[in-house]
Amino acid sequence: MTWTEAEYLDLLQAERRAYAWVMRHHGGMSLPKSWAAALDCYPYEPADEPYRGLVFHDEAWHWAMSRIHGERYPVEHPELADPSPAITTTPEQVPAR
């Protein structure tokens, strides 16, 4: 995938927000811990990184649910197979540094 730096940064921030939202609302993490988890899952990758953005091949919902419930979550928790509509309608705060 080819994208500009601005497009990459927008997508990176959106996926971090979504991941943090899931970790708070489904994983029970505090705001700071959910953001730390999001930063771990979605680190910034330099433009010359050969597989930059590979993590984007699945949605943040999937990565967070896999972390919370394990890779078999779609089978063991079919009600969680699709992202909650609230993930896009509930803004997640960025913790103060």
Side-chain angles (χ1 to χ4, degrees), residues 28-40:
M29 286 187 174
S30 67
L31 182 62
K33 286 188 179 191
S34 69
W35 271 95
L39 292 172
D40 278 349

Side-chain angles (χ1 to χ4, degrees), residues 15-73:
E15 292 300 291
R16 285 174 174 172
R17 284 182 184 276
Y19 190 93
W21 186 93
V22 175
M23 297 309 277
R24 281 183 46 79
H25 295 273
H26 290 274
M29 286 187 174
S30 67
L31 182 62
K33 286 188 179 191
S34 69
W35 271 95
L39 292 172
D40 278 349
C41 187
Y42 290 94
Y44 174 82
E45 298 171 303
D48 61 350
E49 192 71 29
Y51 299 107
R52 183 185 200 200
L54 183 61
V55 71
F56 300 146
H57 83 275
D58 267 323
E59 294 178 332
W61 177 268
H62 167 74
W63 297 122
M65 285 297 168
S66 292
R67 177 84 185 266
I68 295 166
H69 297 291
E71 291 181 12
R72 292 185 41 82
Y73 81 89

